[in-house]
Amino acid sequence: QVQLVESGGGLVQAGVSLRLSCAASGRTFSIRDVGWFRQAPGKEREFVATMNWSGGLPHYADSVKGRFTISRDFAKDTVTLQMNSLEAEDTGVYYCAAGVGPKPGSAWYSAAWYDYWGQGTQVTVSS
């Protein structure tokens, strides 16, 4: 079992920065990949960013590339999503996800790739 808890969401103005955190606990040694997804009202959950739990191979959705950065704090077993130059289109509930064990293929951009999910944190960008 892996538990994930997101924090750091809030209401901000367009153009500013916000940093989300995901605290992992339980069998964290089994994690292979971590990712961030978001879901706006009336829309499907979409991929935002992912990286290998070992600390490399970051990938980003085109809509956030150059503005968002995913990283891991090894000492704290946390994953962060640094979001800069926020836009109104970034509004949504942001979820942290973890995939465990080796898997065939490279579908890390799909929600089905991940085995554990946090409960989400709301991000609202005004203007």
Side-chain angles (χ1 to χ4, degrees), residues 7-92:
S7 63
L11 173 63
V12 298
Q13 295 183 352
V16 302
S17 298
L18 193 64
R19 184 171 63 189
L20 306 182
S21 295
C22 172
S25 60
R27 297 171 59 88
T28 58
F29 55 84
S30 67
I31 299 174
R32 298 296 184 92
D33 307 288
V34 291
W36 287 94
F37 288 74
R38 67 188 182 189
Q39 187 168 19
K43 297 183 179 180
E44 296 294 323
R45 188 170 301 185
E46 66 174 347
F47 167 75
V48 175
T50 187
M51 71 178 296
N52 193 289
W53 185 247
S54 65
L57 301 176
H59 292 88
Y60 303 91
D62 289 341
S63 60
V64 306
K65 191 173 300 181
R67 298 187 297 120
F68 290 12
T69 302
I70 185 172
S71 61
R72 182 195 165 190
D73 186 328
F74 288 92
K76 298 169 61 178
D77 272 354
T78 60
V79 180
T80 65
L81 183 68
Q82 179 66 44
M83 305 184 293
N84 298 327
S85 302
L86 283 166
E87 306 168 353
E89 292 75 17
D90 296 316
T91 294

